[in-house]
Amino acid sequence: MATESLHQVTDSRGAVMWLWSAHNKVNKRLAGDVSEDPRYPKVQFPPEDLCWGCMNQAKGTWDEDKVFNFLRKYYGAENIVNSNRKLTSVIVLGNDDRFELTSGSSKTQLNILAKVTVFGLIFLVNYLKYA
């Protein structure tokens, strides 16, 4: 996948959107596979309950501007979790495109997402640097 399309990435927004798109393609391919963890189903990200309006359900298309803004907030520095502190909320994009705090998020899930994202970004930066 990287060999076929990563060369088209020319800026940081493009890198973020490429990584997001690649993640969703892999999740789509692996959905329902025997290797899928039932606790973490392979769904398209972000799901509607986190980013209302990111996906146009009628057309089956993503609003990439909303997705990008959501990803910037969701994975932004203000949402990095210190493992010594208890997480009490998560950012959710509301109907009016404002980010809202909701309670009851899983600290473990966010830590896993943060680690996977950091790994992906390190891979992407190194690939672009040495390609």
Side-chain angles (χ1 to χ4, degrees):
M1 185 183 314
T3 305
E4 295 172 5
S5 60
L6 196 53
H7 66 279
Q8 298 170 353
V9 174
T10 59
D11 58 13
S12 58
R13 178 189 166 113
V16 168
M17 297 308 289
W18 183 89
L19 191 58
W20 162 76
S21 176
H23 174 269
N24 276 347
K25 286 176 185 174
V26 171
N27 270 2
K28 186 175 185 178
R29 188 177 74 231
L30 294 177
D33 190 78
V34 294
S35 66
E36 183 174 21
D37 184 342
R39 293 175 295 171
Y40 304 100
K42 301 295 183 192
V43 297
Q44 298 299 285
F45 188 84
E48 191 172 19
D49 62 332
L50 287 182
C51 184
W52 188 91
C54 281
M55 166 66 88
N56 182 329
Q57 296 295 339
K59 293 182 181 179
T61 59
W62 292 96
D63 181 329
E64 292 192 2
D65 289 331
K66 282 187 178 182
V67 170
F68 180 71
N69 289 331
F70 169 80
L71 293 171
R72 283 182 54 212
K73 280 295 242 186
Y74 194 75
Y75 293 111
E78 65 275 6
N79 288 325
I80 293 177
V81 177
N82 178 335
S83 61
N84 296 323
R85 293 186 337 196
K86 182 179 177 184
L87 179 67
T88 58
S89 61
V90 66
I91 299 291
V92 176
L93 182 62
N95 294 349
D96 57 0
D97 293 345
R98 287 183 302 141
F99 292 94
E100 303 168 3
L101 291 174
T102 61
S103 61
S105 302
S106 166
K107 177 180 176 182
T108 303
Q109 287 176 315
L110 288 178
N111 279 335
I112 290 169
L113 285 171
K115 289 174 184 175
V116 169
T117 301
V118 168
F119 174 78
L121 290 174
I122 290 170
F123 167 80
L124 186 61
V125 166
N126 283 317
Y127 178 85
L128 292 172
K129 184 176 180 180
Y130 297 108

